[in-house]
Amino acid sequence: MSQTAVIEDITDAQFVENVLMSETPVLVEIWAEWCPPCRQLAPILEKIAAERAGTLRVVKLNQDENPATSADYRVMAVPTMLLFRGGRPVLQMVGARPKSHLDREIDKALA
């Protein structure tokens, strides 16, 4: 019985409360509707969210609809994943990648 985690869509206005003030580490995917690698990454992030429910939150932020956060963190390409712990970015990854690679990078950043 795996716990199902929902990947929440957030906005610039919700970023501080949902990411920076989170007690739990948060993986933020900055994505766009028109981005094929973003669609490729979606099922991988759903698996990570489900497997790590309770220890890691996964949220998505649409760059086209929420440009402020992207500008604040100098996001130049989508998909970009930012991992936050204690309100601070501890990892930035650009581009789609295999789940094993994402898991390894997340584990290393949170160790």
Side-chain angles (χ1 to χ4, degrees):
M1 288 183 281
S2 68
Q3 191 175 356
T4 307
V6 176
I7 296 179
E8 190 181 343
D9 281 295
I10 64 167
T11 64
D12 284 339
Q14 298 166 313
F15 188 80
V16 170
E17 182 181 344
N18 281 273
V19 178
L20 301 183
M21 295 176 71
S22 176
E23 305 263 327
T24 307
V26 183
L27 181 64
V28 180
E29 180 201 12
I30 298 177
W31 69 288
E33 200 70 52
W34 48 264
C35 163
C38 298
R39 286 194 291 277
Q40 224 179 353
L41 201 53
I44 295 169
L45 292 176
E46 286 169 14
K47 280 185 186 149
I48 289 172
E51 289 172 5
R52 295 176 182 248
T55 60
L56 177 75
R57 288 181 54 231
V58 181
V59 299
K60 295 174 78 164
L61 183 98
N62 184 314
Q63 184 180 38
D64 293 335
E65 297 169 5
N66 301 282
T69 301
S70 296
D72 289 347
Y73 291 95
R74 294 178 174 83
V75 172
M76 304 306 253
V78 290
T80 291
M81 288 153 289
L82 298 165
L83 180 61
F84 288 82
R85 181 185 205 172
R88 300 173 56 140
V90 294
L91 176 65
Q92 178 171 337
M93 298 175 283
V94 179
R97 53 199 65 202
K99 182 179 177 297
S100 60
H101 186 88
L102 281 172
D103 280 329
R104 202 168 37 252
E105 292 294 316
I106 291 167
D107 289 341
K108 199 163 65 176
L110 295 178

